Amino acid sequence: MSSQYIVKWGNILQDNYNYGATISFEQNGAVTYSAPLMPPSLCIKSWYSQRNFQLSRNTPYLPILEPNKKYQLQVQLELSETSAIQVKILFFDRYNTMVEELFFSQLTEAFTFPEKAVHYEIQLINKHHQQIIFYQLVITELDLYERYEQQDRKQTDLWYYPNRLSQTSHIQLIFLVKKNQVQHLQFTTHSDYLFCLIDPEKELDMVALSKAIYTILVKKNLRELTFSITKEIDYYNLPSEVYAIPRIMNFLLSNKMVTEPQEVQGLAYLDQKLDEMQVSIQVLQHFLLENSKGK
């Protein structure tokens, strides 16, 4: 089993440099930060893997990492120039003594978690920034980073990972409740993976979600494709509409996956089937319309 962690900006005020700063939280999850008069070498933003809850009343944002294991850190943000910031990682032992300090000038770098470290901190250091549009930190086990293509996911809740080492006709489709702090993605097989992050507080657009999933599946290779649903620990906390996605994909993919057991019977069952067929028809209409425009 391998893991990837998506870490958001967070809402802890004391973790930011706030003096003269303008911070805005966008609906797509991005954070726009600007403090152009901030002196160089100061910390713009910090994330921690350990906190004193009695003092801060806040939980840590960074995941626990394993000693001696290699990881890839991606800082996904937009800058006017890449030299405007620097990334810093500090590692501490159980006595809170710093055992190692790393500085990265690039936004994607590999590192090894020190053997004696038990917790760590990631900082964005100012050099001469004007504005930052921050999306997320992505921490990936290095072997996983090398096995799967890492695509641009700045403004989407669909995370597709093609396996770059083996040509597989199987896609593991996983629905997750969208987290505000740390999103944990787990990989257990060598198939391709498609993670769908669902915000239970927002109204679910079934047509848009189904179309986005269908588009990815079709690009893989419709004639040979199979896929399955993995039910994570919070699967049944998702909106009930999500449970119809496998059956909608069955309509769209000519029943290439096994249908889940059907508990609804009678007229309610027929109404449900009709609704799912209507969504499938709308998805195909959108898909064909967009394809025709591209030709």
Side-chain angles (χ1 to χ4, degrees):
M1 181 184 297
S2 299
S3 295
Q4 182 176 82
Y5 305 92
I6 297 96
V7 182
K8 308 304 287 187
W9 181 277
N11 55 6
I12 303 174
L13 188 63
Q14 61 265 36
D15 291 347
N16 312 324
Y17 180 90
N18 298 306
Y19 185 75
T22 301
I23 308 175
S24 60
F25 293 82
E26 314 300 337
Q27 285 193 341
N28 62 10
V31 175
T32 302
Y33 179 94
S34 179
L37 300 180
M38 178 182 182
S41 78
L42 293 185
C43 178
I44 295 172
K45 172 69 179 176
S46 297
W47 293 266
Y48 302 89
S49 69
Q50 179 175 297
R51 286 183 181 275
N52 186 328
F53 184 78
Q54 299 299 325
L55 295 176
S56 67
R57 297 295 177 182
N58 290 305
T59 56
Y61 268 58
L62 293 179
I64 296 174
L65 303 182
E66 297 181 35
N68 295 322
K69 179 167 278 191
K70 294 182 178 179
Y71 296 89
Q72 191 83 8
L73 172 66
Q74 294 174 286
V75 185
Q76 296 187 352
L77 50 74
E78 293 181 14
L79 293 164
S80 55
E81 52 182 296
T82 56
S83 61
I85 65 164
Q86 192 174 41
V87 181
K88 180 179 178 181
I89 310 181
L90 303 95
F91 302 94
F92 302 89
D93 64 15
R94 60 181 179 149
Y95 303 107
N96 291 326
T97 301
M98 188 174 67
V99 297
E100 191 172 341
E101 184 179 38
L102 300 176
F103 288 90
F104 298 147
S105 57
Q106 302 297 318
L107 297 179
T108 300
E109 292 282 357
F111 68 92
T112 301
F113 197 83
E115 182 178 5
K116 296 182 179 180
V118 296
H119 64 98
Y120 63 109
E121 177 182 347
I122 297 177
Q123 298 180 351
L124 292 186
I125 305 297
N126 179 53
K127 294 181 76 174
H128 47 77
H129 88 282
Q130 295 297 313
Q131 185 184 74
I132 297 170
I133 301 177
F134 177 89
Y135 297 102
Q136 57 235 344
L137 303 177
V138 181
I139 302 173
T140 312
E141 294 182 19
L142 190 59
D143 65 327
L144 179 64
Y145 183 85
E146 293 170 345
R147 289 204 319 267
Y148 287 92
E149 294 181 22
Q150 307 292 316
Q151 299 176 342
D152 182 5
R153 304 175 180 87
K154 291 176 181 176
Q155 300 184 50
T156 180
D157 289 331
L158 282 182
W159 292 56
Y160 176 48
Y161 295 81
N163 191 320
R164 68 172 96 216
L165 299 183
S166 63
Q167 295 295 323
T168 173
S169 61
H170 184 78
I171 291 181
Q172 197 79 7
L173 180 59
I174 300 177
F175 294 96
L176 296 172
V177 173
K178 188 175 183 179
K179 307 294 185 181
N180 294 325
Q181 298 182 2
V182 181
Q183 196 83 47
H184 183 195
L185 309 183
Q186 291 182 299
F187 299 73
T188 57
T189 69
H190 295 288
S191 62
D192 289 3
Y193 277 82
L194 176 58
F195 294 93
C196 303
L197 309 184
I198 307 296
D199 188 345
E201 296 183 359
K202 293 183 178 179
E203 185 177 353
L204 187 63
D205 187 336
M206 284 292 291
V207 174
L209 177 60
S210 300
K211 182 170 71 72
I213 294 172
Y214 177 67
T215 301
I216 292 173
L217 298 181
V218 166
K219 288 181 179 179
K220 177 67 182 177
N221 188 337
L222 181 59
R223 292 184 178 179
E224 299 178 2
L225 177 70
T226 62
F227 76 100
S228 57
I229 305 294
T230 298
K231 296 179 180 179
E232 294 286 323
I233 190 169
D234 54 5
Y235 181 76
Y236 291 103
N237 293 328
L238 294 166
S240 59
E241 296 92 335
V242 170
Y243 309 144
I245 293 290
R247 296 187 294 272
I248 292 171
M249 291 302 115
N250 273 349
F251 282 120
L252 296 171
L253 297 173
S254 301
N255 295 315
K256 287 197 173 283
M257 70 165 285
V258 177
T259 304
E260 291 190 330
Q262 181 56 254
E263 298 177 356
V264 181
Q265 300 296 331
L267 292 176
Y269 171 75
L270 295 176
D271 288 341
Q272 177 180 286
K273 282 292 183 183
L274 180 60
D275 290 341
E276 291 165 2
M277 289 183 67
Q278 289 175 338
V279 171
S280 301
I281 292 170
Q282 291 180 65
V283 168
L284 285 174
Q285 288 174 334
H286 284 282
F287 183 80
L288 294 173
L289 181 61
E290 289 183 2
N291 281 353
S292 64
K293 289 180 180 178
K295 293 181 180 179

